[in-house]
Amino acid sequence: MSVTDEVLGILENNKGNFVSGNEISKKLFVSRNSVWKAVNSLKLQGYDIESVTNKGYRLSRDNDIISVQSVGKYLSYDLNIIIVDETDSTNNYLKKLASDGEREGTVVIARSQTKGKGRRGKSFYSPENTGVYFSLLLKPNGSVEKSLFLTVMAAVAVAETAMEYSNRDIAIKWVNDVYIDGKKICGILTEGSVSLENGGLDYAVVGIGINVLTPENGFPEEIKDIATAIFSKNEAPSDAKSRIIAGVLQRLLDMYYGKDRDFIERYKSYSFLIGKKINIIYHDCTEPAEVLGITDECHLTVKTERGEIKTLSSGDVSVRVK
């Protein structure tokens, strides 16, 4: 880790408070001049750092640049966090690393995406400064079908992190869309590599995109009626984006490693589809149905208009407008 990274870590852990240059130099076993150079380098990167004689350096509480240090300080897990300014898709970026043998627990975070991916080939609006876009590499034991649980875990993690910071109505649309007040804040896409030897997963990449702040000029015309964000700009706490990323990762990994075992019941309770009239979306047509419930395997149980009971393990549905 560079001196600049270590200085940033100290300033992040003391955010809003002054830390003397002498204290930093002693802690890192470097010269005061090295600390000064590191602070200037951080300022050039956009960090709002105040320098005051006889007081030291203070990172502004309002600074919300996502960094390894700003996310890591809220986590209990030792993750390999990689930050990129821009990529086509964090899932694509991480799948390449996974193919080269990157370890479980690697996270790629992008400040913006040029080709953010949603399900069924859809795109996910991924502007700089207002959203968070990240992918987590996992290497679960088990069948490909079990990978559905990873998507469910991610949806619960997003919903409950949003609840922590918002008093608004949070809900999940099967299987992986999270809503606030009836509008979408999040998309989740889980992709993986299948072992030809045993039919299980070599690895899974869980990609998550969340609208944290409302864009200054609002959402684009084509999604403005269906998309929203966790915060408007004046509602957001300090470190909003870093807190959201860390909160989701912490909760997801608690479920994945078995520290949180009742997430399926909570997932069911957050669903707003039960009892609703829906359309099951196929490749080239739709089928009307009514949602009866969600199974312990997180499959959707529906009754078609012909009276047939179906259990959906994958796919997409839409709520029918009366």
Side-chain angles (χ1 to χ4, degrees):
M1 185 181 292
S2 69
V3 173
T4 300
D5 287 336
E6 290 186 304
V7 169
L8 178 57
I10 291 173
L11 295 177
E12 279 284 0
N13 288 330
N14 294 276
K15 198 168 188 178
N17 298 309
F18 280 102
V19 186
S20 74
N22 187 52
E23 181 182 343
I24 297 173
S25 67
K26 286 182 177 178
K27 188 172 290 187
L28 299 182
F29 300 100
V30 298
S31 67
R32 291 279 297 274
N33 190 54
S34 295
V35 174
W36 177 81
K37 286 181 178 178
V39 169
N40 283 341
S41 175
L42 290 169
K43 287 180 178 180
L44 289 173
Q45 294 174 47
Y47 287 91
D48 184 5
I49 301 172
E50 185 179 0
S51 305
V52 177
T53 303
N54 297 325
K55 284 190 173 182
Y57 307 105
R58 176 170 65 183
L59 179 61
S60 169
R61 289 190 184 279
D62 294 331
N63 187 88
D64 198 17
I65 297 176
I66 299 170
S67 66
V68 173
Q69 294 82 357
S70 70
V71 174
K73 70 181 183 180
Y74 295 116
L75 289 167
S76 68
Y77 293 97
D78 179 22
L79 304 181
N80 175 29
I81 300 174
I82 299 168
I83 310 272
V84 296
D85 284 330
E86 182 180 272
T87 186
D88 59 347
S89 155
T90 57
N91 268 25
N92 287 347
Y93 193 110
L94 189 51
K95 283 192 292 182
K96 291 175 185 174
L97 295 180
S99 296
D100 291 335
E102 191 59 81
R103 75 172 177 90
E104 180 174 78
T106 295
V107 181
V108 171
I109 303 170
R111 295 192 175 99
S112 67
Q113 298 181 118
T114 57
K115 296 179 181 178
K117 296 195 296 183
R119 297 175 70 231
R120 295 192 297 120
K122 294 180 180 178
S123 62
F124 185 84
Y125 179 58
S126 311
E128 190 175 6
N129 297 324
T130 60
V132 294
Y133 322 105
F134 58 104
S135 297
L136 170 65
L137 175 61
L138 298 172
K139 297 186 177 181
N141 294 319
S143 66
V144 173
E145 188 175 273
K146 294 294 183 184
S147 66
L148 175 63
F149 286 110
L150 299 179
T151 304
V152 168
M153 291 174 191
V156 172
V158 171
E160 295 185 340
T161 300
M163 285 179 195
E164 181 180 352
Y165 295 104
S166 172
N167 293 320
R168 295 155 70 191
D169 185 30
I170 312 284
I172 296 173
K173 172 180 167 286
W174 184 88
V175 61
N176 64 347
D177 292 336
V178 182
Y179 284 68
I180 286 182
D181 296 338
K183 291 187 175 183
K184 184 175 174 178
I185 62 162
C186 171
I188 299 165
L189 179 64
T190 301
E191 299 180 287
S193 174
V194 179
S195 168
L196 296 178
E197 291 185 5
N198 58 26
L201 283 172
D202 281 332
Y203 66 80
V205 169
V206 183
I208 301 171
I210 306 170
N211 303 325
V212 177
L213 303 170
T214 303
E216 192 170 332
N217 297 317
F219 289 97
E221 186 70 27
E222 61 269 24
I223 62 171
K224 71 175 186 178
D225 293 330
I226 59 173
T228 189
I230 298 175
F231 309 108
S232 65
K233 221 149 197 179
N234 58 354
E235 296 175 326
S238 168
D239 271 1
K241 294 195 288 292
S242 296
R243 287 174 185 263
I244 295 297
I245 293 170
V248 171
L249 289 172
Q250 183 71 38
R251 288 176 169 87
L252 197 166
L253 289 168
D254 282 347
M255 293 178 239
Y256 178 72
Y257 289 121
K259 297 178 182 178
D260 176 1
R261 296 180 179 276
D262 66 347
F263 64 91
I264 293 175
E265 290 306 313
R266 301 204 307 279
Y267 177 80
K268 294 178 185 179
S269 72
Y270 300 144
S271 174
F272 66 79
L273 286 184
I274 297 173
K276 292 283 178 60
K277 305 287 186 182
I278 63 165
N279 282 320
I280 305 169
I281 301 172
Y282 298 107
H283 177 67
D284 55 357
C285 65
T286 61
E287 181 179 23
E290 179 182 355
V291 176
L292 302 179
I294 296 174
T295 71
D296 289 343
E297 292 73 35
C298 296
H299 298 164
L300 195 69
T301 304
V302 302
K303 183 178 182 179
T304 70
E305 287 192 334
R306 300 192 304 273
E308 180 184 3
I309 305 297
K310 288 186 175 183
T311 301
L312 309 179
S313 60
S314 62
D316 202 3
V317 300
S318 63
V319 178
R320 273 189 280 164
V321 179
K322 293 181 180 179

